[in-house]
Amino acid sequence: MLLPQFAYSTDAEPTKLKIAASTTQIADFAKKIGGDDIVVFSVLGPGADPHTYQPTPGDMKKVSQSDICFENGLHLEGKDWMRTLCTDAKKPVITTTKGVQPLLIESEGHKISDPHAWFSPVNVAKYVNNITQALIEIRPSLKSNFSARAKLFLEELRVLDQWLKELFAQIPPDKRVLITSHDAFNYFCNTYKFNAKYNYLSVAPVGWSTGAEVGAGMTPARRQQVISSIKQFGVKAIFVETSVNPKLVRSIAKDAGVKIGGVLYSDSMGEAGSAGESYLGMMTENALTIVNALK
Amino acid sequence: MRFLLSTIIWIFFLGGVSFFLQEKNQDNDNHQEKALAQDAQDAQEAQEAQKELIINLQATFEFEKDSFALEVANTDTDNTLPLTLILNGVPITTEQLAIGKSELEGNLESSKLNASIKIVAQLKSKNELFIKTVIPANAQQNHQALRVSIYNNQQLILDRSLWGRPGQTLSESFVFEGIK
C-alpha cells in the first residue's frame, strides 16, 4: 500500500504536499489522512530501528524537498535525529505524540517517558489529530478531504481497539504474560492488561531503547529477571521483534526452556506486500501471533 | 383545378401546424403558472414549518467524551460534544441550538436517561436527521440502547431505538416528514 521507501521524489504532482515522516507508522497515519493529496516519504524503512538509526545524505536530500516533517518525539528517534535533519533543512517539524499521556518508566533513578505510544489505538487518535491539524494548516483548501479521511481512520482505530480487547479476553488473565526483545510494549500491556504482576508494563531483557540512552540496552540483571519471570509464571512463549536482533531472545528461550511464540512488529512495520505493511495490519498480525502462542 | 386543390391542402396543413403550436405554448404557460404556484406554496409551507424541532434522546449509557473524536480547530461540527447531529446536510452547531452549549453539556453529562435538544430549523416536506454518538467502552451492560424521539410542532413524528455494544458507534440517518 505505502512506503516504497524512496518513491517520494519520482512523479509527484507539483500540487501534492510532500511529507517526510520519521517512522513507517507515522508515514502510514499521514497517508491514511492525506490520501492522494500528499506524497509521503518514510526515513526509516521496514524493520529499521529508530533508536540507533543514522540518517544518510539521501535522507537529507529528501527532507529538504518536503513541505513538512513529522516526528514521533519522546526521544524515539535516538539523539533526536529527525528533528536535527528537519531543522538543518529549515523545515517545520510536528511532534505527532503531542497530547499523549506518556507512561513513565523508572530506570537507573530516572523517569523516562516511553516513546512507543502507537501501541495503544487511543494514543494513535492523538497522532491522527496532530497530523490532520498540521495538514489543514499547511493546505486549508483540502480541509474537508483531510477531515473526512481522518474520521474514517479514527473509526477503524475504534474497531481495532474493541477487536483487540475481545480477542485477548480469550487468554486467561494469569496466562496473559508478554515477554519481548525490548521494552516497546508498555502501552500495549497497559491497554490490554498483559503482565499483571509487573503493573501491566512490558517485560524484556533490553530497556526502552536499543541505543545508548539512560535506561536503555541489556543488562545481566534484566536478563536474569526475564528468565526468572518465565519460570515463575509458567510462560508458554516469548517473542522476538522485527526491528531487533533476535539472538538475545533466542538464547533466553533456550536457557529458560520456553518456545519462541513468533515475530512481532514493533518499532517499524513490515515490508511492502506483507500484512504488516500498514498499522492496522501490523496490530492484527501481532495480536494473532500472541493469542495463538499463549492461549 | 389542380392549383386550387394544392392550395387547399397547403391551407389545411399550415392551419394544423399553427393550431398545434398554439396549443403547445398554452400548455407551457399553464405548467409555468403551476410551477410558480407550487413554489409559492412550498415557500409558505417552509415558512410555516420553521418551528421548534425537539429531539429527545434517552440512553441507557452515560454520554462521554469520545477518545477517537477528530479534534482539530475550525471544523464544521463541534467535536467537544459527544454527539453529532446533521439536519438536511447541515451540521447542527451549538449556536443553532435553542439551549446554550453549557446547558446541553449539563444535560448530556448529568443525566444518562434524558437529553432534550431543541432546534429552530426550517424543515422541508421530507427531512433527514443524521445522529451519531458512541457507547463508552466501560459501559457495564453488554447491550445498550439510545431512543430517539423527534417532535415537530409538539407532535411526535419519529420514535426509534438504536442498539449497540460498549465501544461501538451508534449512527443512523432518520427520514421524517415535516408537519404542515
Side-chain angles (χ1 to χ4, degrees):
Chain A
M1 180 177 89
L2 89 147
L3 320 184
Q5 195 184 352
F6 297 104
Y8 177 62
S9 59
T10 53
D11 298 330
E13 290 170 26
T15 54
K16 291 190 176 187
L17 274 176
K18 297 186 186 74
I19 310 296
S22 61
T23 69
T24 50
Q25 284 89 344
I26 295 170
D28 186 40
F29 304 155
K31 193 68 189 165
K32 293 286 269 185
I33 300 159
D36 280 346
D37 295 321
I38 66 170
V39 184
V40 185
F41 159 62
S42 172
V43 176
L44 287 183
D49 185 343
H51 302 293
T52 57
Y53 187 72
Q54 301 284 335
T56 65
D59 296 332
M60 184 64 191
K61 189 180 171 193
K62 287 198 172 68
V63 166
S64 68
Q65 291 168 351
S66 14
D67 296 300
I68 192 168
C69 297
F70 291 133
E71 66 162 6
N72 184 85
L74 300 173
H75 306 297
L76 175 79
E77 297 89 351
K79 297 177 184 167
D80 294 334
W81 54 259
M82 185 64 177
R83 183 159 285 275
T84 307
L85 261 180
C86 301
T87 307
D88 289 351
K90 296 185 172 53
K91 300 294 174 185
V93 192
I94 302 298
T95 302
T96 52
T97 49
K98 185 182 162 197
V100 167
Q101 187 66 46
L103 279 174
L104 295 176
I105 314 159
E106 291 257 9
S107 186
E108 299 172 25
H110 293 81
K111 281 193 174 177
I112 296 151
S113 295
D114 185 349
H116 306 86
W118 64 87
F119 274 114
S120 159
V122 171
N123 287 345
V124 176
K126 298 283 184 197
Y127 284 77
V128 171
N129 278 312
N130 289 325
I131 293 168
T132 308
Q133 184 74 61
L135 292 178
I136 289 172
E137 279 173 17
I138 203 164
R139 193 61 62 84
S141 60
L142 293 172
K143 184 179 86 171
S144 58
N145 279 8
F146 296 145
S147 299
R149 292 193 198 100
K151 281 184 178 178
L152 174 61
F153 187 35
L154 289 165
E155 288 302 324
E156 290 175 333
L157 292 171
R158 185 200 310 283
V159 172
L160 172 71
D161 186 47
Q162 286 304 303
W163 180 78
L164 288 171
K165 282 175 181 161
E166 189 172 337
L167 190 74
F168 293 138
Q170 297 174 23
I171 307 172
D174 60 326
K175 299 287 176 201
R176 225 176 285 154
V177 181
L178 184 67
I179 295 176
T180 57
S181 301
H182 89 298
D183 266 347
F185 289 80
N186 285 309
Y187 293 96
F188 186 88
C189 292
N190 200 260
T191 305
Y192 301 109
K193 304 299 172 221
F194 279 80
N195 302 347
K197 294 280 187 331
Y198 288 91
N199 204 21
Y200 300 112
L201 292 175
S202 183
V203 179
V206 176
W208 69 276
S209 167
T210 54
E213 296 92 338
V214 172
M218 196 277 285
T219 62
R222 287 180 70 95
R223 188 183 191 281
Q224 194 49 51
Q225 184 202 20
V226 169
I227 292 175
S228 303
S229 300
I230 293 168
K231 289 178 177 169
Q232 186 185 350
F233 302 121
V235 174
K236 287 177 75 175
I238 63 175
F239 301 88
V240 294
E241 299 172 28
T242 52
S243 58
V244 181
N245 189 330
K247 205 172 158 185
L248 177 61
V249 169
R250 290 194 192 285
S251 78
I252 289 173
K254 194 177 170 189
D255 291 352
V258 68
K259 69 174 181 179
I260 299 288
V263 183
L264 303 180
Y265 298 104
S266 61
D267 284 358
S268 60
M269 303 191 313
E271 297 283 348
S274 70
E277 71 169 325
S278 70
Y279 174 74
L280 296 174
M282 159 190 157
M283 294 294 278
T284 305
E285 295 310 300
N286 277 359
L288 292 174
T289 302
I290 292 167
V291 166
N292 290 334
L294 299 185
K295 201 163 69 170
Chain B
M1 185 64 189
R2 190 181 288 177
F3 173 75
L4 189 63
L5 191 63
S6 174
T7 307
I8 290 167
I9 289 169
W10 269 107
I11 287 169
F12 270 103
F13 176 70
L14 290 173
V17 169
S18 170
F19 178 75
F20 172 74
L21 290 174
Q22 206 172 351
E23 283 295 305
K24 198 180 171 195
N25 283 340
Q26 202 166 352
D27 274 359
N28 280 346
D29 288 348
N30 286 343
H31 280 301
Q32 279 177 350
E33 277 172 24
K34 279 181 187 169
L36 285 171
Q38 184 66 43
D39 284 351
Q41 193 181 345
D42 284 352
Q44 192 179 353
E45 283 175 6
Q47 192 72 23
E48 284 172 3
Q50 190 175 356
K51 291 188 178 169
E52 201 173 61
L53 187 73
I54 297 175
I55 304 164
N56 271 342
L57 302 175
Q58 290 180 292
T60 59
F61 54 92
E62 302 277 356
F63 287 98
E64 280 184 5
K65 191 173 178 297
D66 182 11
S67 307
F68 294 96
L70 180 66
E71 291 181 87
V72 294
N74 304 319
T75 48
D76 296 332
T77 49
D78 187 343
N79 295 305
T80 59
L81 295 176
L83 186 66
T84 301
L85 292 168
I86 302 174
L87 181 62
N88 293 331
V90 181
I92 296 171
T93 59
T94 47
E95 288 75 25
Q96 290 171 279
L97 298 174
I99 55 175
K101 182 180 171 184
S102 58
E103 192 180 340
L104 176 64
E105 281 179 332
N107 271 336
L108 294 176
E109 284 168 11
S110 64
S111 170
K112 69 176 179 181
L113 293 175
N114 204 342
S116 185
I117 297 161
K118 295 174 191 171
I119 305 161
V120 177
Q122 188 165 315
L123 298 181
K124 298 173 181 174
S125 52
K126 282 242 174 187
N127 301 276
E128 185 186 87
L129 177 77
F130 171 80
I131 186 163
K132 183 186 133 186
T133 191
V134 178
I135 303 172
N138 58 0
Q140 295 297 312
Q141 297 161 19
N142 283 332
H143 291 88
Q144 303 283 347
L146 175 70
R147 183 178 177 184
V148 181
S149 313
I150 302 177
Y151 294 83
N152 183 204
N153 292 351
Q154 298 181 327
Q155 192 172 332
L156 180 66
I157 52 175
L158 189 131
D159 192 11
R160 291 265 302 275
S161 291
L162 302 176
W163 290 85
R165 296 168 63 193
Q168 280 187 338
T169 303
L170 291 182
S171 66
E172 184 66 81
S173 286
F174 299 109
V175 176
F176 59 94
E177 292 186 1
I179 302 295
K180 292 175 185 172

